[in-house]
Every structure is written in structure tokens, then in C-alpha cells.
């Protein structure tokens, strides 16, 4: 979901996605329910953890919703951007630095995507909205959305 894609912390995001996938299995859902109902310390810990994670998801989801409402990023763009960002952000620190930016451009070129920026420095200057030398997920999502729009325009032409 877009809300899960918004979560910056890769480890928390992995837990959320894993739990969501596991809950698709009725036997796993039953096991979780039994543990939650029958073991009060586990229920208490689960409630505390859920409250913290739920707050993260809501806060970070609001941020992406604002981008979407302004027309900067579509829901599809967020999901595609998160997928690619997760591959490129190898150290999982939530930002893409110059070295990771070089890897990103190589990935895009291997995928057959025509990258209008040419080199990593131009790419970083175009996408790095706050000019801190690193690209956070929000900046990345907006950049990917722009790239998708350029690609669609080229296909229509």
C-alpha cells in the first residue's frame, strides 16, 4: 500500500509488509489472534508497538498524500518509486547519496529508461529539492513521477 511505501525505515517497512502478507493466510491470522487474546504480556507489547508503528505510517502517509494532492506524485508513482528506492538505497539510511545515485542511473539505463539528466551530478541537482547533496524518498518520488510523465509524453508523440 502507499501508506507502507511511505515508511522511511526499511526495517519497519519490511515488518509491516511481512505481517500484511502473512495475514493473508487464514492459519497465520488465527495464530496471531490466539496469541493476542491469550497472552496478556504479548497483547500489551503488541498494542504499544502497533500504536508507535501506526503513528509512523499515518505521519508519513500524510506527507505523501500532500505530494499527491499537489499533483507531484500519483499513487502508482509512489509505489514504483519505493520499489526502485529500496533497491538503490543500499545502506538503508533513507537517502540516496552520490554513489547510490550513480547506481540508480545505471539501473534506469539497463531497464531501457531514457534518462534526460545524462550524468549523476545533473540528476542530483534536478531531484535534490533542498540541495543538501542527498535525495530523500519524497524528492525521489517526485523525480520518478516526472520521469514517468516524460516517458508517457514521448510514447504519445
Amino acid at each position: 500500500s502507499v501508506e507502507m511505501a511511505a515508511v522511511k525505515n526499511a526495517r519497519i517497512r519490511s515488518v509491516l509488509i511481512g505481517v500484511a502478507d502473512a495475514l493473508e493466510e487464514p492459519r497465520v491470522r488465527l495464530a496471531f489472534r490466539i496469541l493476542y487474546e491469550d497472552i496478556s504480556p504479548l497483547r500489551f507489547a503488541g498494542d504499544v508497538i502497533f500504536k508507535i508503528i501506526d503513528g509512523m505510517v499515518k505521519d508519513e502517509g500524510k506527507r505523501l498524500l500532500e505530494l499527491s494532492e499537489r499533483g507531484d506524485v500519483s499513487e502508482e508513482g509512489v509505489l514504483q518509486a519505493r520499489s526502485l528506492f529500496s533497491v538503490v538505497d543500499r545502506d538503508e539510511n533513507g537517502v540516496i547519496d552520490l554513489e547510490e545515485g550513480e547506481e540508480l542511473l545505471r539501473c534506469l539505463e539497463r531497464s531501457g529508461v531514457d534518462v534526460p539528466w545524462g550524468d549523476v551530478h545533473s540528476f542530483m541537482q534536478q531531484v535534490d529539492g533542498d540541495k543538501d547533496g542527498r535525495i530523500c524518498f519524497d524528492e525521489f518520488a517526485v523525480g520518478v513521477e516526472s520521469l514517468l510523465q516524460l516517458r508517457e509524453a514521448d510514447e504519445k508523440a
Side-chain angles (χ1 to χ4, degrees):
S1 76
V2 173
E3 291 83 14
M4 283 191 251
V7 174
K8 290 179 184 177
N9 185 305
R11 295 173 62 85
I12 298 290
R13 194 173 51 254
S14 292
V15 168
L16 289 171
I17 292 168
V19 169
D21 288 349
L23 289 176
E24 295 295 320
E25 176 62 43
R27 291 182 359 200
V28 173
R29 195 172 37 250
L30 175 61
F32 273 127
R33 193 175 84 228
I34 290 168
L35 288 171
Y36 185 80
E37 291 172 355
D38 294 352
I39 304 173
S40 58
L42 187 59
R43 180 175 52 245
F44 176 75
D47 287 348
V48 170
I49 292 167
F50 176 76
K51 187 175 183 176
I52 292 168
I53 291 176
D54 188 52
M56 272 187 217
V57 170
K58 285 180 180 172
D59 290 346
E60 295 178 17
K62 283 180 195 174
R63 203 182 61 251
L64 288 182
L65 184 60
E66 290 170 4
L67 290 174
S68 179
E69 287 173 349
R70 288 194 320 246
D72 293 339
V73 184
S74 67
E75 188 171 315
E76 178 186 352
V78 169
L79 296 173
Q80 289 178 337
R82 175 53 73 191
S83 225
L84 186 55
F85 192 89
S86 295
V87 170
V88 176
D89 183 24
R90 293 185 188 262
D91 57 9
E92 297 182 340
N93 67 350
V95 293
I96 295 176
D97 58 26
L98 190 60
E99 184 179 314
E100 291 167 330
E102 290 172 349
E103 177 60 26
L104 169 65
L105 291 182
R106 284 193 294 274
C107 284
L108 291 172
E109 288 169 357
R110 282 194 302 265
S111 300
V113 176
D114 184 30
V115 181
W117 305 292
D119 65 57
V120 72
H121 296 288
S122 298
F123 163 74
M124 296 291 281
Q125 287 177 335
Q126 284 289 327
V127 178
D128 183 13
D130 61 7
K131 306 301 179 204
D132 66 353
R134 305 176 314 165
I135 300 169
C136 69
F137 178 70
D138 294 2
E139 294 167 333
F140 184 78
V142 171
V144 167
E145 186 75 13
S146 297
L147 187 60
L148 290 173
Q149 289 173 354
L150 285 172
R151 190 173 171 185
E152 287 177 15
D154 284 349
E155 288 173 359
K156 289 179 182 178

